[in-house]
Amino acid sequence: MTLAGNNFPSRHHDHAVCIESALVQAESLCRERGARLTPLRRRVLEIVWESHAPIGAYDVLQRMNAGGERNAPPTVYRTLDFLMEHGLIHRIESMNAFVGCATPANTHKGQFFICRACGNVVETHSEDISEAIEESATRAGFLVETPVVEVGGQCLECHDDE
């Protein structure tokens, strides 16, 4: 994958490589964990990975049903829950949407940079940030359950366009 700046994908990278890599990893991880990556789960994961921009559940449903299928919202939500449970996707809380996880084999607390211009999201991992959140929470007498960090701004490619 060609990257612009650090982790943001170039607008011209071969996105099929991202999708194929995600599907191969998902197959392997599900097999290792004794979970099934059914055709439906595989299709939803593929739809999530069609872009580096977050996608909402109803947009996933619309793409699934574009070929005349008749999937219902609960089916998509259950499938998204399965994919999150197995670390294959992340929920972007501020957008009520989902992105693929580039490192699903590793349990982690990610931080997300969201480009407000192109909509792409990049996941990063910083133990320093995770530890700072835990330390601050401990000092405040707070138990962290969902340490989601989302930062809005612009990727280098979009910033250079201005």
Side-chain angles (χ1 to χ4, degrees), residues 54-67:
I55 184 169
Y58 277 91
D59 292 325
V60 170
L61 179 64
Q62 182 179 10
R63 288 189 189 169
M64 288 177 64
N65 290 340

Side-chain angles (χ1 to χ4, degrees), residues 96-108:
N96 194 23
F98 304 87
V99 294
C101 177
T103 58
N106 305 321
T107 302
H108 56 275

Side-chain angles (χ1 to χ4, degrees), residues 21-62:
S21 175
L23 294 174
V24 167
Q25 286 186 74
E27 288 282 353
S28 176
L29 287 172
C30 285
R31 193 171 33 257
E32 287 173 21
R33 296 172 180 168
R36 287 195 39 202
L37 189 65
T38 63
L40 176 68
R41 292 170 177 167
R42 182 181 173 84
R43 179 65 184 129
V44 170
L45 182 61
E46 185 177 35
I47 290 169
V48 169
W49 269 100
E50 285 176 353
S51 170
H52 289 285
I55 184 169
Y58 277 91
D59 292 325
V60 170
L61 179 64
Q62 182 179 10

